[in-house]
Amino acid sequence: MTGSRLLGPLIDAIETARRQMLERRRDLAGNEIRTRNALIDPILGALDWNVSNPSQVTTEYELPSGRVDYALLGKNGKAAAIIEAKRLGEDLGAKPRSQLVRYAYESRPSYAVLTDGDVWEIYSVEASEGEFHLREAVRCILSESDPLQSARELLVLWQANMESGQPAEVETPTGGLPSNEGDSNLPNNTGGGGTNADSKSEDTDVPGPDEPQPSRGSGQIEQWRLKYTLKLLDHGLTRKQIASAMGISPYYTYYLTKKARERREAGEL
């Protein structure tokens, strides 16, 4: 599988994880195993790691000072990356980072990861004679970031990258996107005849949101974006204009418009 072909399934896995966090946050926040099963394992699977294949992934990987939750194995059978998992929403502060450093020192992988399924902190492990430290390579928050951007950042953990040591060259997937911004191919959000959004000129006035944007880490970013997306759709903006107004990718805009309409039809927005 090439990096470009990988992005579509990885974005799908990220979007599924985001839905799980919205719908099952309390359930997942109370249990690390549920977090791993619902959020972390599917992301690893989309990165071509078979978590049920012990030649690829060892769970509860034994080290002198304890067991790290995952070891992603290279061709030589040694850990190419280690992952320390926490339950959704658990503090990823000094104590778990210190634990990760200790495990990385003992296993010497290329990468060390700390995650609660939403926040992914990926560190490159740098070791030389007399020196050892972790350097943060990636930090992304799936519930707040553009899924396409998150997918590109997580690609460092792609199995082929772990084997080759080289980052994949990828392109934005287009197979799931209707052509020409696609608004005319989707149900009219007003429910009536209405005016086709694509007929609006590019200089349509952009209304502001009804509520201030929540702070990062509040867990309310996506709900705010869905409400604002509906407002912009009702105002007649195209997806291209919405992407520009909100500073997000066209792929993420397609996801938001589709999800916002579904949530409205279900009476949830």
Side-chain angles (χ1 to χ4, degrees), residues 82 100-109 125 131-132 134:
I82 59 170
L100 185 70
V101 170
R102 185 172 68 252
Y103 289 158
Y105 180 79
E106 293 172 351
S107 56
R108 301 300 174 101
V125 179
E131 293 187 9
F132 174 87
L134 303 188

Side-chain angles (χ1 to χ4, degrees), residues 48-105:
D48 282 353
W49 294 102
N50 183 348
V51 294
S52 63
N53 182 347
S55 68
Q56 287 190 13
V57 180
T58 298
T59 55
E60 305 305 322
Y61 187 70
E62 290 201 33
L63 294 167
S65 65
R67 296 178 178 180
V68 67
D69 293 305
Y70 302 84
L72 310 183
L73 306 180
K75 287 183 176 179
N76 59 4
K78 295 182 179 179
I82 59 170
I83 301 175
E84 181 60 22
K86 302 299 178 185
R87 58 183 171 80
L88 178 63
E90 186 171 344
D91 178 41
L92 304 182
K95 185 175 180 180
R97 289 194 185 109
S98 175
Q99 182 183 30
L100 185 70
V101 170
R102 185 172 68 252
Y103 289 158
Y105 180 79

Side-chain angles (χ1 to χ4, degrees), residues 59 71 82 115 149 164 207 247 253:
T59 55
I82 59 170
T115 182
Q149 181 61 32
S164 68
T253 308

Side-chain angles (χ1 to χ4, degrees), residues 19-29 34 38:
R19 289 193 294 273
Q20 293 269 36
M21 286 185 273
L22 277 174
E23 297 166 3
R24 299 181 55 204
R25 176 165 290 273
R26 181 175 296 180
D27 180 44
L28 298 177
R34 291 179 195 146

